[in-house]
Amino acid sequence: DESPLSRIDEQTKSTKAKYSEWIEIVKGTRNDVLEYQRLTEELAELESRVRQLEPYVNEKDKELQEASGEVKCINGEISDLREMHASSKTWLDMAMKIAVLRE
């Protein structure tokens, strides 16, 4: 049944389907553009925060480097004290042995 009305009805359905598909593409593209704009604004805000935090980070890095030097110095002192403690124990043990031998 290829009547002119049925052909027009099929063409109308096809046109409506294409239009609906086009509308979905446009909506998707619009959403993509809006998402891109949102992400661009978020990136700009994050870059601004990075620039604001950079002096703080540099200051904390300097403090950490200074603290690291102090820790190394203290570790060296602790090592020296451990050696002195071990030597003192050895001297004390020897002194006790000498005292026992003298008695």
Side-chain angles (χ1 to χ4, degrees):
D1 219 7
E2 283 287 321
S3 70
L5 287 177
S6 67
R7 278 186 282 164
I8 290 173
D9 189 43
E10 287 299 318
Q11 288 175 349
T12 302
K13 286 179 185 176
S14 174
T15 303
K16 282 183 179 179
K18 288 179 182 177
Y19 179 74
S20 294
E21 185 180 331
W22 180 79
I23 290 294
E24 290 303 314
I25 290 171
V26 168
K27 284 181 182 176
T29 303
R30 184 194 71 207
N31 289 339
D32 289 346
V33 168
L34 292 173
E35 181 67 8
Y36 174 78
Q37 288 174 343
R38 185 189 69 77
L39 291 173
T40 302
E41 289 171 4
E42 190 175 315
L43 176 63
E45 183 181 324
L46 289 172
E47 287 174 340
S48 173
R49 285 187 197 166
V50 166
R51 285 189 296 276
Q52 290 172 354
L53 290 174
E54 198 168 337
Y56 175 78
V57 170
N58 290 338
E59 178 185 330
K60 292 301 174 186
D61 185 51
K62 183 180 174 186
E63 288 176 14
L64 285 174
Q65 288 176 0
E66 291 172 1
S68 175
E70 291 175 16
V71 167
K72 285 179 184 176
C73 183
I74 290 171
N75 282 338
E77 291 177 13
I78 289 172
S79 178
D80 292 347
L81 289 172
R82 284 186 177 143
E83 288 177 19
M84 288 173 59
H85 177 71
S87 296
S88 296
K89 284 176 105 177
T90 302
W91 278 97
L92 182 61
D93 288 345
M94 291 297 173
M96 296 298 265
K97 286 179 183 177
I98 291 171
V100 168
L101 289 174
R102 285 191 179 169
E103 290 180 1

